[in-house]
Amino acid sequence: MAIWVKLPCCSGLVLPFLFLGLLLEAWAGKIRYSVPEETDKGSFVGNIAKDLGLQPQELAERGVRIVSRGRTQLFALNPRSGSLVTTGRIDREELCAQSERCLVSFNILVEDKMKLFPVEVEIIDINDNTPQFQLEEVEFKMNEITTPGTRIPLPFGQDLDVGMNSLQSYQLSSNAHFSLDVQQGADGSQHPEMVLQSPLDREKEAFHHLLLTASDGGNPVHSGTLRIHVQVVDANDNPPAFTQAQYHMSVPENVALGTRLLSVKATDPDEGANGEVTYSFHNIDQKIAQIFQLDSYTGEISNKEPLDFEEYEIYPMEIQAQDGAGLMARTKVLINVLDINDNAPEVTVTSVTTAVPENFPPETIIALISVHDQDSGENGHITCSIPGNLPFKLEKLVDNYYRLVTERTLDRELTSRYNITVTATDQGTPTLSTETYISLQVTDINDNPPAFPKDSYFTYIPENNPRGASIFSVTAHDADSDQNSRVTYSLAEDTFLGAPLSSYLSINSDTGVLYALRSFDYEQLQELQLRVTAHDSGDPPLSSNVSLSIFLLDQNDNAPEILYPTFPNDGSTGVELAPRSAEPGYLVTKVVAVDRDSGQNAWLSYRLLKASEPGLFSVGLHTGEVRTARALLDRDALKQSLVVAVQDHGQPPLSATVTLTVAVADSIPDVLADLGSLEPSTNPDDSSLTLYLVVAVAAVSCVFLAFVIVLLALRLRRWHISRLLQASEGRLVGVPASHFVGVDGVRAFLQTYSHEVSLTADSGKSHLIFPQPNYADTLISQESCVKSEPLLVTQDLLEDKKETFSQQAPPNTDWRFSQAQRPGTSGSQNGDETGTWPNNQFDTEMLQAMILASASEAADGSSTLGGGAGTMGLSARYGPQFTLQHVPDYRQNVYIPGSNATLTNAAGKRDGKAPAGGNGNKKKSGKKEKK
């Protein structure tokens, strides 16, 4: 800051001139500023621009800068404000040491005019240094016989500050023997001295500790200290002295051997040999001297033998102390023997209850406890306690008995089991205690009803739900245990739409799952309000209720229902009239429909599905209005048929259709005349005709189905027969030679062969083969045979098959042969000698079997009997001489017993050809058929 000079008088008149004078001084002499040391960087020093008569912005324009020689730049110009500021912290003591004034000089250069302006800044001292001594402490030795008034020079302090901030005074701490005297030097410095005021006594105080304080005059005041130690040198003039006139000590009776029990101490203020003290027993009982031991140098007393409280409660003894010059002192020692607390209390639970119900009232007795301690006095005084956070308390009875009782009602839901710790503590030192544990089970009572997590529930289910579907579940919790916590669920009785709630819903009593007993219909019922009750299994049972709201969600299950137009009940068709002169947009009629669903499922839209005259009419999408789309023309038909579809917006959408009949006429009489042609036929035969057509189609279908079944059965039966024949042929191949024995081998073969054929035939049906000649002396093949009834054909069967057989011809005598030529058992045939047809039934049957076997052999084309042509397969067994020439050709006339029919085929034998038709009942040309 700039230094201003204040004149003693005429200040009012001089102020204008003072400012002018300063400006002149700024231009002609030095510019002076002052700033305290230790200011922050950038601190304001003075306004250079103002003192130079310039504006701040001119400093840079005119090249104003600081010029100094060889010194760290302490100041800088602020070009924006035109101020002189510090470039960092300034330490006056570092710049000027102990100088009274600290000035920093530099020049301000104005480059445009090449002028220098000297500037002088005074650094003002602040009290930033503390007075200090070169040493932290000093020590002096003085004999206790030193005379008062003796002076001891003391070190002086030093302060780097100047003026009032430098060291100003000294002060010595209070002491009865020493004082402080400060001497002023020629250079103005102060020299402190310590003066002895009174005689010293080493025995009273061997060391004196003083504190010298040096203080400056700054604000705040700073000070430094010097510690002074004065040692008083001894002169032997004092006897020993015990610290106590009488020593008392209490020790437990079980103290260990060699334990230091007590230490006596006698002091001698003298030093060296004059101050050395030794100890010994004086006037002590001999027995006590054997129990205790005294250390002559330290004064420690220890026991050599065990102490006995019952023998000595107090051990008295006298101790003597003596220094090196022979001066003595005595003291008395009393050792008290204490009873020790070496027995812990004993706790006995006399009676206890291990389980109580939670509803037991307070003050219920849980256990009876007794305590005992073998020690005496305070060591045998016992107190019992339990933890304070339990709902129990201990009550003291007589003779160290306690009882444990409940303090309040128990709650099993909070704590189901308590482990109670009973602690018995004596009053000994150290305290001994014993703990015992009582376990108490709190049994449950039914004091908590089931609780639902929420006060009410609601759910949404779609309509048309399946019966028995699970729709919701509720759960209640019971804080009790076991049976008291077992929860069952039920529904409160209620009625909906005249039916009990139980017909709508059911609830699983164990799980709380609700099931729908019927499929709900939103159009009948939109909401169900019911209450679910939860019961526990306690005694008495407790229950709680919760409300449940079931909201049905609509499904698109109703198709739109058309209200208009409606058809009359008499069967006639409603007709809408439209004049032929109607303009486009003429309202013909309006289709009105509703949907029993709700929401989007009930939004209806209309559209024209079909029209007899496309483009003539239009239907409003949302209104259902039927209007003309164009003007009616003469060529438009009188009767117009429209099919309008109504569809909702559900998923999937449902629709309904209505057929409209619009009559176009110019006048009402025309309409009435043409209405007859528009009426539908009322003839009842029209409906009957449809019924007949349906019945006819069904009948034709049944007949066709039956035909297919029969055809399949026939094909299956034919396949089965062919398998049977193949099986029978296989068995004939294996006929052993032993079957053909006897003189009359033909009869033996026939019997065996007939037996084999009867075994291979079907059990229900046999086959009658009608042979036809294929070639000379060979039976007809199987493919040309006709199926018939069992092998022995009855009269009834032949009557039914008259159309397939030829009538029997008169007996032909050409093929009669002698008895020797007849087939059969040798010598057993009783027939006619003339060679007529054998009349023995048994022989006849064997002959028929032979014919059938031969026919089957011929049909296969390769006989298993190995016969050639004209042998009927017998030559392999009876030699080549046995051929069909010895056997009459029975194919000409086959007589069937019990019938008058004869199968003839003589022409076939002569011609060697099969008869036409292949059915065995017709002959070729060459011989007339006999009937």
Side-chain angles (χ1 to χ4, degrees):
M1 56 178 293
I3 299 175
W4 297 85
V5 180
K6 183 177 180 181
L7 299 179
C9 63
C10 302
S11 60
L13 298 175
V14 173
L15 285 176
F17 298 98
L18 179 61
F19 180 72
L20 181 60
L22 290 174
L23 292 178
L24 293 175
E25 181 183 358
W27 286 98
K30 289 184 178 181
I31 302 175
R32 292 185 175 86
Y33 300 104
S34 64
V35 61
E37 65 172 329
E38 301 296 336
T39 56
D40 294 334
K41 178 182 179 180
S43 299
F44 176 79
V45 178
N47 194 336
I48 285 292
K50 180 179 178 182
D51 293 339
L52 295 178
L54 302 174
Q55 296 297 325
Q57 60 271 18
E58 292 179 346
L59 295 179
E61 295 174 359
R62 303 182 65 175
V64 177
R65 58 188 176 89
I66 296 175
V67 179
S68 61
R69 297 187 303 273
R71 178 176 289 184
T72 302
Q73 190 65 259
L74 300 178
F75 304 96
L77 291 176
N78 189 334
R80 290 179 295 179
S81 62
S83 302
L84 182 67
V85 297
T86 59
T87 60
R89 290 183 177 273
I90 301 174
D91 188 357
R92 194 200 70 85
E93 288 75 25
E94 182 181 354
L95 291 175
C96 304
Q98 294 294 113
S99 300
E100 187 69 23
R101 296 188 65 190
C102 183
L103 299 175
V104 177
S105 300
F106 55 89
N107 296 312
I108 299 295
L109 173 63
V110 182
E111 268 192 47
D112 62 343
K113 294 185 178 182
M114 298 301 293
K115 289 186 177 181
L116 289 173
F117 296 92
V119 178
E120 190 176 81
V121 179
E122 181 179 2
I123 307 301
I124 300 175
D125 181 50
I126 64 173
N127 192 19
D128 59 342
N129 291 282
T130 301
Q132 295 180 351
F133 292 94
Q134 292 182 355
L135 300 176
E136 293 183 358
E137 61 180 27
V138 293
E139 184 176 350
F140 301 101
K141 290 185 178 181
M142 298 181 68
N143 197 294
E144 61 179 334
I145 59 175
T146 302
T147 60
T150 303
R151 289 178 174 268
I152 302 174
L154 300 176
F156 55 88
Q158 186 179 14
D159 194 332
L160 297 179
D161 295 326
V162 297
M164 290 301 297
N165 295 328
S166 64
L167 193 151
Q168 298 294 324
S169 63
Y170 292 93
Q171 185 178 0
L172 186 65
S173 61
S174 176
N175 188 273
H177 299 279
F178 299 95
S179 64
L180 180 66
D181 185 19
V182 180
Q183 300 293 328
Q184 194 75 22
D187 57 353
S189 61
Q190 297 180 358
H191 300 280
E193 293 180 351
M194 186 173 63
V195 182
L196 178 64
Q197 296 291 331
S198 60
L200 301 176
D201 188 355
R202 196 202 65 79
E203 287 74 24
K204 291 183 179 179
E205 191 173 2
F207 291 93
H208 296 271
H209 302 285
L210 305 175
L211 188 66
L212 179 63
T213 302
S215 303
D216 59 18
N219 187 15
V221 177
H222 292 167
S223 61
T225 59
L226 172 67
R227 295 190 298 276
I228 302 173
H229 303 285
V230 179
Q231 181 181 358
V232 180
V233 181
D234 177 53
N236 188 17
D237 56 353
N238 294 288
F242 283 98
T243 57
Q244 296 180 18
Q246 188 175 18
Y247 290 89
H248 294 272
M249 182 62 184
S250 297
V251 295
E253 59 177 330
N254 65 339
V255 65
L257 297 179
T259 301
R260 189 183 69 175
L261 304 178
L262 180 65
S263 292
V264 295
K265 185 165 182 64
T267 59
D268 193 331
D270 297 330
E271 288 182 339
N274 297 328
E276 294 179 358
V277 179
T278 58
Y279 304 93
S280 61
F281 287 118
H282 181 71
N283 296 331
I284 187 173
D285 185 85
Q286 185 66 27
K287 190 173 184 180
I288 295 177
Q290 295 177 355
I291 297 175
F292 296 97
Q293 181 179 358
L294 175 63
D295 190 322
S296 61
Y297 295 101
T298 62
E300 294 180 354
I301 301 174
S302 59
N303 62 324
K304 297 186 295 183
E305 299 292 336
L307 305 181
D308 189 357
F309 175 80
E310 288 72 27
E311 184 177 1
Y312 287 98
E313 293 184 9
I314 297 177
Y315 290 92
M317 61 192 72
E318 189 176 358
I319 307 298
Q320 176 179 285
Q322 184 177 0
D323 63 11
L327 299 178
M328 295 179 294
R330 296 182 181 90
T331 186
K332 201 169 187 178
V333 176
L334 300 176
I335 298 178
N336 297 324
V337 180
L338 302 177
D339 182 30
I340 62 169
N341 186 26
D342 55 350
N343 294 287
E346 298 176 1
V347 180
T348 304
V349 179
T350 305
S351 177
V352 65
T353 300
T354 58
V356 294
E358 60 179 325
N359 62 343
F360 258 33
E363 302 297 330
T364 299
I365 299 177
I366 303 299
L368 186 63
I369 304 169
S370 66
V371 294
H372 176 68
D373 197 322
Q374 296 180 3
D375 295 325
S376 61
E378 291 296 324
N379 295 332
H381 185 72
I382 305 171
T383 58
C384 283
S385 63
I386 60 174
N389 59 345
L390 298 178
F392 306 97
K393 64 180 180 178
L394 282 173
E395 295 181 351
K396 184 172 175 45
L397 303 177
V398 295
D399 197 16
N400 286 335
Y401 274 89
Y402 292 84
R403 65 179 182 181
L404 179 65
V405 298
T406 57
E407 191 173 19
R408 59 180 182 269
T409 304
L410 305 180
D411 189 352
R412 190 208 64 83
E413 285 70 38
L414 294 178
T415 306
S416 62
R417 177 180 289 275
Y418 292 94
N419 290 318
I420 307 168
T421 303
V422 180
T423 304
T425 307
D426 59 21
Q427 303 299 317
T429 303
T431 300
L432 298 180
S433 62
T434 301
E435 292 182 351
T436 187
Y437 303 96
I438 298 175
S439 180
L440 180 65
Q441 177 72 36
V442 182
T443 59
D444 183 50
I445 65 169
N446 193 25
D447 57 346
N448 291 283
F452 290 94
K454 297 181 180 179
D455 296 334
S456 61
Y457 296 88
F458 65 91
T459 185
Y460 296 89
I461 61 172
E463 64 170 335
N464 303 322
N465 57 287
R467 295 180 60 186
S470 171
I471 59 176
F472 196 66
S473 176
V474 294
T475 302
H477 300 279
D478 197 313
D480 296 323
S481 64
D482 299 332
Q483 287 296 114
N484 296 332
S485 64
R486 182 181 177 185
V487 181
T488 58
Y489 304 90
S490 61
L491 297 177
E493 293 294 335
D494 203 349
T495 303
F496 293 96
L497 300 179
L501 177 63
S502 58
S503 64
Y504 289 87
L505 299 170
S506 68
I507 188 170
N508 189 310
S509 60
D510 295 326
T511 63
V513 178
L514 274 82
Y515 298 93
L517 298 181
R518 63 170 63 182
S519 180
F520 296 110
D521 189 354
Y522 177 82
E523 287 71 36
Q524 295 181 359
L525 184 66
Q526 288 81 33
E527 178 182 357
L528 283 173
Q529 295 284 347
L530 59 141
R531 297 191 69 82
V532 179
T533 304
H535 301 267
D536 59 23
S537 301
D539 186 17
L542 302 179
S543 63
S544 60
N545 298 324
V546 69
S547 62
L548 173 61
S549 299
I550 300 176
F551 301 97
L552 296 180
L553 300 177
D554 182 45
Q555 302 290 312
N556 191 27
D557 57 344
N558 291 283
E561 182 179 351
I562 298 175
L563 301 181
Y564 183 84
T566 57
F567 297 106
N569 296 329
D570 56 359
S572 60
T573 303
V575 178
E576 303 293 339
L577 301 179
R580 194 172 290 275
S581 59
E583 297 294 330
Y586 175 80
L587 177 62
V588 177
T589 185
K590 182 177 182 179
V591 178
V592 180
V594 295
D595 196 315
R596 296 177 61 189
D597 295 323
S598 63
Q600 185 175 354
N601 297 329
W603 296 353
L604 302 180
S605 60
Y606 303 83
R607 61 189 178 92
L608 185 59
L609 190 63
K610 182 179 180 182
S612 58
E613 187 69 31
L616 181 58
F617 297 96
S618 64
V619 177
L621 179 62
H622 301 293
T623 62
E625 295 177 348
V626 179
R627 298 178 180 271
T628 56
R630 58 177 176 80
L632 296 174
L633 305 176
D634 293 339
R635 59 180 175 81
D636 293 330
L638 174 64
K639 176 183 176 182
Q640 298 289 337
S641 179
L642 307 177
V643 178
V644 179
V646 183
Q647 181 174 304
D648 58 25
H649 287 72
Q651 291 296 332
L654 302 178
S655 62
T657 59
V658 62
T659 302
L660 302 177
T661 301
V662 180
V664 180
D666 289 331
S667 62
I668 293 178
D670 295 339
V671 174
L672 296 177
D674 296 332
L675 281 179
S677 62
L678 298 178
E679 294 180 356
S681 174
T682 59
N683 188 4
D685 295 338
D686 295 341
S687 60
S688 300
L689 180 59
T690 303
L691 178 61
Y692 295 154
L693 290 176
V694 173
V695 172
V697 171
V700 171
S701 301
C702 292
V703 171
F704 176 75
L705 182 61
F707 172 76
V708 172
I709 293 174
V710 171
L711 183 60
L712 291 177
L714 293 176
R715 297 291 297 176
L716 182 61
R717 189 169 183 269
R718 178 173 296 179
W719 173 81
H720 180 64
I721 292 170
S722 63
R723 294 297 298 267
L724 289 177
L725 291 177
Q726 293 175 6
S728 64
E729 293 171 3
R731 277 189 287 269
L732 290 175
V733 173
V735 176
S738 61
H739 290 180
F740 306 97
V741 296
V743 179
D744 196 348
V746 177
R747 182 174 181 88
F749 171 76
L750 290 177
Q751 290 178 351
T752 304
Y753 194 79
S754 176
H755 177 66
E756 293 292 335
V757 171
S758 64
L759 288 177
T760 57
D762 186 70
S763 61
K765 295 181 181 180
S766 300
H767 299 80
L768 177 61
I769 301 175
F770 301 94
Q772 294 179 357
N774 283 338
Y775 48 84
D777 300 331
T778 304
L779 296 178
I780 119 182
S781 65
Q782 184 180 357
E783 285 78 2
S784 61
C785 300
V786 179
K787 296 178 182 180
S788 182
E789 291 302 313
L791 187 61
L792 300 178
V793 184
T794 61
Q795 182 66 31
D796 295 335
L797 177 61
L798 295 177
E799 290 177 358
D800 294 335
K801 303 294 181 178
K802 289 180 179 179
E803 67 275 10
T804 59
F805 299 135
S806 300
Q807 294 183 358
Q808 182 179 1
N812 190 356
T813 59
D814 295 336
W815 51 271
R816 296 177 183 177
F817 49 88
S818 64
Q819 178 67 24
Q821 296 175 337
R822 295 177 184 172
T825 304
S826 178
S828 63
Q829 185 66 28
N830 298 324
D832 188 20
E833 292 293 335
T834 59
T836 60
W837 187 266
N839 56 5
N840 183 279
Q841 183 178 359
F842 181 77
D843 293 341
T844 304
E845 291 173 357
M846 288 192 296
L847 180 62
Q848 292 175 351
M850 182 194 68
I851 297 172
L852 292 177
S854 301
S856 177
E857 179 184 352
D860 290 338
S862 62
S863 174
T864 59
L865 299 177
T871 64
M872 294 182 64
L874 302 178
S875 59
R877 297 292 182 182
Y878 302 104
Q881 73 278 1
F882 188 85
T883 59
L884 287 181
Q885 63 184 355
H886 302 97
V887 182
D889 189 359
Y890 296 106
R891 292 178 294 177
Q892 296 179 5
N893 294 301
V894 179
Y895 169 76
I896 299 175
S899 175
N900 57 0
T902 301
L903 301 180
T904 61
N905 201 6
K909 181 180 178 182
R910 287 191 306 268
D911 300 336
K913 297 179 182 179
N919 53 6
N921 58 355
K922 294 184 180 179
K923 298 181 179 179
K924 291 291 287 183
S925 59
K927 187 175 182 180
K928 293 182 180 181
E929 180 180 358
K930 297 182 180 180
K931 296 184 182 180

